[in-house]
Amino acid sequence: DLSEEANQPMERDGYSLIFNGEVYNYVEIREELRALGRRFQTSSDAEVVLAAYLEWGEACVEKFVGMWAFALWDEPRQKLFCSRDRFGIKPFYYIRQGARLYFASEAKALQPCPLFSSALNPSQVARYLQLGWMSYREETFFSDVHQLPAAHNLIWQDGHLEIRPYWDIPAGRQTGISFPEAREMFRERFYDSIRLHLRSDVEVGGCLSGGIDSSSIVSVVGATHPELAFHTFTIYYEGQRGMDERSFARQVGAKYPNLIAHEYQPQEEDIA
């Protein structure tokens, strides 16, 4: 948010919030909260997060569509309520020992704290080297540094830590709908998701590799917002073991005149 009125920590009536991310459906939630009597001082999604907690408590995150990691101090209850988005897009790291808790959005920010140890977690190092996994559940490369898993909340109260999930994908559930019905449902939700993601106080662009995912996203933007000058970014590599999909990305760009293409080739020395 570009307004100084939305600076953080954001405080309201004994509740304080620090918030990293975006709640894309904040406009709809704000209108729902206004109908319930809540008043707003800014147009920011951060204030909507805070007001939603005041109205619905910990269940507020079930209403959010977006990416987030936040920490909210509930002064009346002397409780710290933290949450991470459904797919763990935004990071949340913490160290806990006894009645002490430190948290941050990067592991290196925890290094100055008195509980930090540089001892490595061999299991996670092995996962990274063998499988390429940057993280696994609550584990990180450091033995004493943990991450809040995706789709989980963290509650810290009276020196006690509780971590519990708020969302999951039900496995094996039968919907009973046909493939054409499923296709239309997906199309509707996909278009709606992109509509929400284009809400921003700053300019929004898109990655365009030429693959199915990015081409689908950019094509929907190009088709539904012809008035929007939309910048796309394509990375390619030439030479030995090269990877160059510019021909596919350019096919998308040629179809929609409102797309402004940027192509970039990192050099080996840049990567090294």
Side-chain angles (χ1 to χ4, degrees), residues 131-175:
L131 303 173
W133 294 0
M134 293 296 293
S135 60
Y136 178 69
R137 295 181 178 174
E138 74 282 352
E139 296 185 40
T140 72
F141 291 113
F142 297 100
S143 58
D144 293 332
V145 177
H146 305 283
Q147 65 170 350
L148 180 62
H152 279 66
N153 294 333
L154 180 152
I155 296 91
W156 176 261
Q157 192 171 25
D158 297 327
H160 299 289
L161 178 69
E162 183 178 1
I163 295 175
R164 50 179 179 250
Y166 63 85
W167 180 83
D168 198 1
I169 299 176
R173 186 179 68 179
Q174 298 298 317
T175 63

Side-chain angles (χ1 to χ4, degrees), residues 16-150:
S16 302
L17 172 72
I18 50 174
F19 168 56
N20 174 27
E22 290 185 82
V23 172
Y24 298 113
N25 64 332
Y26 76 100
V27 174
E28 291 79 4
I29 296 174
R30 184 172 59 201
E31 292 308 308
E32 185 178 355
L33 289 165
R34 277 178 171 157
L36 294 171
R38 296 286 173 183
R39 297 292 177 262
F40 293 87
Q41 301 174 26
T42 75
S43 59
S44 70
D45 57 346
E47 188 176 16
V48 171
V49 171
L50 189 50
Y53 176 81
L54 295 178
E55 185 67 35
W56 298 302
E58 297 173 15
C60 65
V61 295
E62 299 172 16
K63 291 180 172 286
F64 299 158
V65 173
M67 53 181 181
W68 68 82
F70 68 74
L72 194 155
W73 174 246
D74 185 334
E75 178 68 24
R77 297 175 181 83
Q78 291 290 291
K79 178 176 75 172
L80 181 69
F81 174 63
C82 306
S83 182
R84 192 177 182 196
D85 62 73
R86 291 173 180 82
F87 294 100
I89 301 171
K90 291 298 182 179
F92 189 107
Y93 297 96
Y94 69 93
I95 300 178
R96 183 267 178 106
Q97 187 181 98
R100 290 188 291 176
L101 174 73
Y102 295 82
F103 62 90
S105 59
E106 291 184 283
K108 68 180 181 181
L110 295 170
Q111 291 180 4
C113 90
L115 302 184
F116 180 82
S117 167
S118 59
L120 293 178
N121 175 4
S123 297
Q124 177 51 33
V125 173
R127 291 187 196 101
Y128 172 69
L129 294 176
Q130 296 174 10
L131 303 173
W133 294 0
M134 293 296 293
S135 60
Y136 178 69
R137 295 181 178 174
E138 74 282 352
E139 296 185 40
T140 72
F141 291 113
F142 297 100
S143 58
D144 293 332
V145 177
H146 305 283
Q147 65 170 350
L148 180 62

